[in-house]
Each structure stands twice: as C-alpha cells, then as structure tokens.
Amino acid sequence: MEAPRLAHAMSSPTSPCEEVIKNLSLEAIQLCDRDGNKSQDSGIAEMEELPVPHNIKISNITCDSFKISWDMDSKSKDRITHYFIDLNKKENKNSNKFKHKDVPTKLVAKAVPLPMTVRGHWFLSPRTEYTVAVQTASKQVDGDYVVSEWSEIIEFCTADYSKVHLTQLLEKAEVIAGRMLKLSVFYRNQHKEYFDYMREHHGNAMQPSVKDNSGSHGSPISGKLEGIFFSCNTEFNTGKPPQDSPYGRYRYEIAAEKLFNPNTNLYFGDFYCMYTAYHYVILVIAPVGSPGDEFCKQRLPQLNIKDNKFLTCDEEDGVMVYHHAQDVILEVIYTDPVDLSLGTVAEITGHQLMSLSTANAKKDPSCKTCNISVGR
C-alpha cells in the first residue's frame, strides 16, 4: 500500500473543476464524493473510460482486517494503476478526521490482484459496522490521477476478537494478576426484589441472562453469552468477601465447590479497566458439556482449573481448596441456572458503592496494560 499523493487537477470537458490546484495537502483537498458528484475544487480528474468496480465482495473478515474483491469491465482495464478505497463507520459515515467532511478517500492502493487484503490502515474496530466503496484510478506521469466513478456502497461488520487476540489479552492479564489468596465462597449482590422475583417466577432459581457490553469492544461474550455474574475476591485482612457492593444491598453466597469443581471447565473471557488504576478479569465457569461450555470452547482460551494465574480449584488432603488472584478484580460468569437453596441470602452491612459498577462500562482504549495492538 502507498500513501495518497494528490497534486493538481486535470481539466477536462466532463470535469466540473474550474482551475488547476497545485500542492494541496490531503487535509485541504476536496475529492469526489461517493455518489459521483465532484467538488468544485476537485484535485482529481475524471476519466470515464476507466471501469467502475461492481459486484463488490467482502470476505475473510476479522476484527481488524478483511479481503475485498470486485468485478470490472475489461475496457481500459489495463490502464488501472491504483484503487481508491473509501471506508467509513456506518453510524457516522459522513464524517472523518479531515477538515472537509466530503474527503472520502482514506487509502490509495496499488492495483494488486484481487482479492486484496485491507489490514489495520484505519485501525479497524472489532464488531463495528462499516461502509466501503471503491474507485479505479490511473496515475499519470506528472503524478496526477484520473479516476472512475465510485462503485456502489457495500456494508459489512467486523468480527469479534479471535482466540489468538484473547490469548494476547490473557498473557497481559497474567503479568499483573499477583499472588493467590484463598477463598471459600462465590457471591452475588442484588436488590431484594431480584431474589424475590427469582423465587416467585423461576422456581427459586437464578437464571442466566445475556452479558452486557462492558469490557473490551471485541469480546466475543458481550451480548452473546448467557450466564450469572458472581464475585469471588476477598479482603486481604479477613479472607472474606468485602462488605461493600455496587449492585445491591442483598448478597447471595454459595460454597465455591457448588459452582467450581472438576466437573466444570474454566475459560478466560476478557481483561479491561475503566480509566482506573485497578483492572478486571472476566472468567467463565461452565459445567462440562453444557451449552455454555460448547459456546466457550469455540471462542475462548480454556484454563487449567488447577494451574492458572486467576482462579484455581485443587484437592488437598481430600478437601477442595480454592485460590484467586490478589491484584485483579475477578468477575465470574456461571453459565447454568443456580438454585437459591444451595446458598444463603443476607443483607450486607457495608455501603452500596455505585461508582464501582461495571454495567456496560467502557474500556479505556489508551491503557497500555490491558489493550492489544488491534482495533479497540
């Protein structure tokens, strides 16, 4: 790929350009818009003989790349030296980082064989809808381009993080996890009305619900995985759960072995922060062979329940012993319903600290500790 080199316009009977414009920067120039209408100050001349791309196909979509191909008429095809590609986020397709919002071209690519891979040039974001359109162009000896009309506009959506990307996040999280502390219970804070509702309408069992969009934008569990959130962090001095909570004054506690044991699998789901000094790690506990287990097996890195940096379950002298990482806040998602009779519900004595809530929390995209080198 080469950077755009835009010089003066070529006048022609079919071009609306009224004068030659020289030495224009990309920030100052106004190009053709994607509907084929030309700016009065266009720095690119039109050559109608160049074929217009059609039947555009997008394939091999990842969280930060895609392949693009199209069909072209054979007429003047040998004159094509470059492709101009316009990419915009669908929800904001009329704006960009340049001074003039009608500057659409973000990339000038040499005319390589199709399909062509587009990777990282716009810092593509995962699971984001984009629009794309293409022009063919011919570079002249004086450095100018002549171009075709814009193609039709195609829409597509980038993918979630793959296991490879999540493994990169996992490795970053392992660096700061810290030493392991013992735990004995998982707990879930909610309002009294929540527990009353589960007793009355769901046979005394808490039901899985779809995970919100908190955390990394590319996390494959957001908006898709169904589960019940639990906490397991303990206070350093007491070894017990903290008395404060952002989620409600009533707490359900359940013995760790009821949810986490050799009959469950453990997966790494996410690593993020919310413009704060402390970081969150999302883990998923799924009963072996359950729908949640099958979902995670295809998308998430699996952890050894006896040997990992975040949450372990091992047997010592015939008793199950549990440990959690000290220096990250663990959010544990259990993928099956949980009967309230397996634990206890009681009111907490501490404060309800709403500022600690992670509901739909946005990840800090500038944090070097918990971001990886793909689209945010």
Side-chain angles (χ1 to χ4, degrees), residues 2 5-10 43-51 53 72 75-84 108-111 135-149:
E2 66 176 28
R5 182 175 179 270
L6 306 174
H8 61 272
M10 296 180 60
I44 296 180
E46 176 189 2
M47 177 177 281
E48 292 182 347
E49 289 79 6
L50 285 178
M72 291 182 290
K75 183 179 178 181
S76 298
K77 191 174 181 179
D78 58 346
R79 295 174 58 88
I80 299 172
T81 62
H82 292 77
Y83 305 135
F84 286 9
V108 178
K110 288 184 178 179
Q135 286 177 312
T136 58
S138 177
K139 190 173 185 178
Q140 307 302 291
V141 293
D142 59 1
D144 288 346
Y145 292 94
V146 291
V147 299
S148 72
E149 295 288 338

Side-chain angles (χ1 to χ4, degrees), residues 144-177:
D144 288 346
Y145 292 94
V146 291
V147 299
S148 72
E149 295 288 338
W150 283 108
S151 71
E152 73 270 30
I153 299 172
I154 299 298
E155 298 179 359
F156 72 99
C157 185
T158 48
D160 297 332
Y161 283 159
S162 67
K163 278 189 179 181
V164 171
H165 298 118
L166 286 171
T167 299
Q168 293 175 21
L169 271 182
L170 166 62
E171 292 169 352
K172 279 181 162 282
E174 288 175 336
V175 172
I176 71 161

Side-chain angles (χ1 to χ4, degrees), residues 49-322:
E49 289 79 6
L50 285 178
V52 179
H54 60 92
N55 193 25
I56 295 176
K57 298 182 180 67
I58 305 293
S59 61
N60 295 83
I61 300 171
T62 72
C63 68
D64 65 343
S65 69
F66 62 92
K67 285 188 176 181
I68 184 170
S69 63
W70 55 83
D71 297 330
M72 291 182 290
D73 295 333
S74 59
K75 183 179 178 181
S76 298
K77 191 174 181 179
D78 58 346
R79 295 174 58 88
I80 299 172
T81 62
H82 292 77
Y83 305 135
F84 286 9
I85 301 176
D86 176 28
L87 186 79
N88 288 287
K89 287 186 178 181
K90 183 179 176 183
E91 66 270 20
N92 198 22
K93 63 184 179 182
N94 291 322
S95 66
N96 52 56
K97 296 178 180 179
F98 303 113
K99 291 181 180 179
H100 296 283
K101 68 179 182 179
D102 56 344
V103 179
T105 301
K106 309 292 197 307
L107 175 70
V108 178
K110 288 184 178 179
V112 297
L114 299 176
M116 179 177 66
T117 298
V118 178
R119 184 188 305 277
H121 294 279
W122 300 278
F123 301 99
L124 289 166
S125 297
R127 63 161 63 186
T128 301
E129 292 185 328
Y130 288 93
T131 63
V132 65
V134 188
Q135 286 177 312
T136 58
S138 177
K139 190 173 185 178
Q140 307 302 291
V141 293
D142 59 1
D144 288 346
Y145 292 94
V146 291
V147 299
S148 72
E149 295 288 338
W150 283 108
S151 71
E152 73 270 30
I153 299 172
I154 299 298
E155 298 179 359
F156 72 99
C157 185
T158 48
D160 297 332
Y161 283 159
S162 67
K163 278 189 179 181
V164 171
H165 298 118
L166 286 171
T167 299
Q168 293 175 21
L169 271 182
L170 166 62
E171 292 169 352
K172 279 181 162 282
E174 288 175 336
V175 172
I176 71 161
R179 70 188 185 102
M180 304 291 278
L181 302 177
K182 278 192 175 183
L183 70 102
S184 59
V185 299
F186 290 100
Y187 55 96
R188 174 173 173 79
N189 287 78
Q190 277 287 349
H191 299 286
K192 182 176 181 295
E193 291 76 14
Y194 167 83
F195 296 111
D196 290 342
Y197 186 87
M198 293 301 166
R199 292 187 185 99
E200 183 177 351
H201 296 280
H202 292 288
N204 204 46
M206 294 184 291
Q207 300 296 309
S209 59
V210 177
K211 183 194 172 297
D212 65 10
N213 289 315
S214 60
S216 300
H217 190 53
S219 174
I221 63 177
S222 292
K224 296 180 180 180
L225 176 67
E226 293 189 358
I228 305 170
F229 263 111
F230 285 90
S231 299
C232 65
N233 291 80
T234 58
E235 291 181 325
F236 178 77
N237 294 332
T238 66
K240 297 180 179 180
Q243 281 302 308
D244 299 327
S245 167
Y247 300 111
R249 294 197 56 81
Y250 283 78
R251 173 173 294 169
Y252 176 75
E253 288 191 8
I254 182 171
E257 61 265 23
K258 299 288 187 181
L259 300 185
F260 188 33
N261 53 61
N263 295 319
T264 56
N265 284 328
L266 181 67
Y267 298 91
F268 173 83
D270 201 3
F271 177 46
Y272 70 100
C273 72
M274 303 179 297
Y275 304 88
T276 57
Y278 43 88
H279 282 78
Y280 294 83
V281 168
I282 297 180
L283 303 175
V284 182
I285 297 175
V288 174
S290 67
D293 189 36
E294 294 303 315
F295 177 95
C296 294
K297 194 171 294 183
Q298 299 173 31
R299 297 168 176 84
L300 306 180
Q302 186 171 349
L303 303 176
N304 183 333
I305 66 172
K306 295 183 178 181
D307 183 20
N308 67 80
K309 298 289 188 180
F310 311 109
L311 181 66
T312 59
C313 162
D314 204 356
E315 186 175 337
E316 296 180 9
D317 299 325
V319 178
M320 300 305 296
V321 178
Y322 297 86

